[in-house]
Every structure is written in structure tokens, then in C-alpha cells.
Amino acid sequence: MDTIVDVSLVLLSISLLIAFYRLVKGPSMPDRVVALDLIGVILIGIMALFSIKFVSKNYFDAMLVLAILAFMGTTAMAKFLVKGVIIDRDSD
Amino acid sequence: MNNLILRTIAKRTFYLFVAFSLYLLFRGHNLPGGGFIAGLLTVAAIVLQYLAFDIKYVQKLLPIDYINVAVMGLVLATLTGIGGMFLGYPFLTQAFDYYTIPIFGTVELATALLFDIGVYLVVIGSVLTIISAIGDEKPWNS
């Protein structure tokens, strides 16, 4: 079990690096937004593995908070890319 | 713009976000959580309404001035700090005790919770003031 968790941590770290490469290099803005969202999801997975490795329940709340904030960021960036304005004064 | 999915999700998840932030607030001083992150989550819930709807809708939903919320929280946190000084302890001394309440059983009530509520209100008020001030500009491409 410990070996599996360690191997998964290494794999997730490698995918974090790949996502970070896309974040820096990404030719267009949507690439960077998707890379940021992917980094958030990978961080949640790393925290879940930590909570298995250290047998602790305290990581769950941090995972929820990170999921909510990553969702907010992705939504705001998507709306900015589509409409050019994040907060409407008076929609439709 | 037809964002029916976002609007439906924003309406439904508002109460979930606020409930989770209150949970983080009330367990704050012994476990991970506390006033700051709870305030940030409440701000996230309200900003989601800003994203899905518009400024008019949120002002109808929450007809308050956010800067007053920040000031109220700051006053509450400061009064909690000063409260210990009347009993001869240093500034920001906190106290706690165990009480038995009919439904909840034995709970720990701490004055650190009042301080945390103050921090919570300060974070909500100041961040929402900043976001609504920035968001109320003219759009850059129209």
C-alpha cells in the first residue's frame, strides 16, 4: 500500500510538471486556463494521497476549499474569455 | 448570453458553500479552518452569484453596504481583545469553558470564536468591497 501511494505521488508530481509546462508555454489563453484547472485537480489528488499516507482526516477540508476556489477561478476566466467582462452591471 | 447551467448551479450551490464556510468557522480554533478561510468561502459563494447573474441581482439579494460589514467585524474583534483587559489579563487573552446545552450535549464555548467571527466579517466586507469596486468598471472591449 505504501509503495502504491508513493508511486502515485511521483506520477502526480510528473503530471503537475507537465501541466505547469502547458501553463507557461501554452500558445493561447484557453490553454493556460485549462492548465490552471488541471493543476488544481492534480493538487486535490496529491492532498488525497497525503491523507492516505499520513492517515489523517484534516486534508479533506483543504481539498474541498481548493476544489471550490479552483472552480470559481476557472468559471471567472472562462466568462472573461467569452464575454470580455467578468461582472455584468445589468445582464440581458 | 444563455448561461442557464451556470445560473442553476449558482442558485443551488450558494447554500452549500455558505453552510461549509460556517462549518469551517465554528470548528476553527482547534482544527483546520477559522475565520479567514470561512470568509473567503462565503465571498466565493457571493462572487459566484456575481458571475452567474449581475450586480443588480446581487444587490437585491444582499441589500447591505459591504464596508459596514468590515467595520462591524473589526469592532467585534477589537472588543473581544479588549474584554480580557477588564479582568486584568493582557490584550487578546482568550478564555474557554465547557457547557451542556440540551440538544447539542456538552460543547466548548470559547471567546476565540467571537474573534473568529470578527475576522470572518472583516474578510467578507473588505474582499467584497474590493471585488465590487473592481467589477463595476466599464468593460474593456465594448
Side-chain angles (χ1 to χ4, degrees), chain B residues 65-121:
Chain B
D65 196 0
Y66 302 127
I67 200 78
N68 292 338
V69 178
V71 173
M72 268 170 47
L74 201 57
V75 168
L76 179 62
T78 314
L79 284 182
T80 315
I82 292 177
M85 292 169 71
F86 287 117
L87 301 176
Y89 297 109
F91 184 60
L92 282 178
T93 303
Q94 305 290 335
F96 66 96
D97 205 350
Y98 295 93
Y99 296 97
T100 304
I101 296 177
I103 297 175
F104 298 105
T106 303
V107 295
E108 177 196 359
L109 293 179
T111 57
L113 180 63
L114 288 176
F115 185 76
D116 259 351
I117 291 176
V119 175
Y120 176 74
L121 292 178

Side-chain angles (χ1 to χ4, degrees), chain A residues 57-62 64-65 68-69 71-73 75-77 79-80 82-92, chain B residues 1 6-7 9 17 20 23-24 27 31-32 37 41 44 47-48 50-51 53-56 131 135-137 139-141:
Chain A
K57 280 188 286 188
N58 292 335
Y59 288 93
F60 292 170
D61 302 309
L64 258 175
V65 170
I68 289 173
L69 291 183
F71 167 68
M72 295 298 305
T75 312
M77 285 302 289
K79 190 173 177 188
F80 177 71
V82 171
K83 289 190 70 174
V85 55
I86 293 184
I87 298 177
D88 296 310
R89 185 189 304 273
D90 189 5
S91 68
D92 53 49
Chain B
M1 188 166 109
L6 182 60
R7 289 189 172 185
I9 288 184
F17 285 1
F20 180 56
Y23 166 71
L24 280 182
R27 74 189 286 223
L31 288 166
I37 192 65
L41 268 183
V47 167
L48 187 59
Y50 269 125
L51 285 178
F53 299 95
D54 49 13
I55 293 181
K56 270 186 180 176
I131 286 179
D136 213 357
E137 303 262 347
W140 58 275
N141 64 349

Side-chain angles (χ1 to χ4, degrees), chain A residues 41-73:
Chain A
V41 173
I42 293 171
L43 282 178
I44 293 169
I46 288 178
M47 274 194 240
L49 284 174
F50 271 161
S51 76
I52 296 174
K53 190 176 170 66
F54 298 127
V55 195
S56 159
K57 280 188 286 188
N58 292 335
Y59 288 93
F60 292 170
D61 302 309
M63 286 158 59
L64 258 175
V65 170
L66 187 59
I68 289 173
L69 291 183
F71 167 68
M72 295 298 305

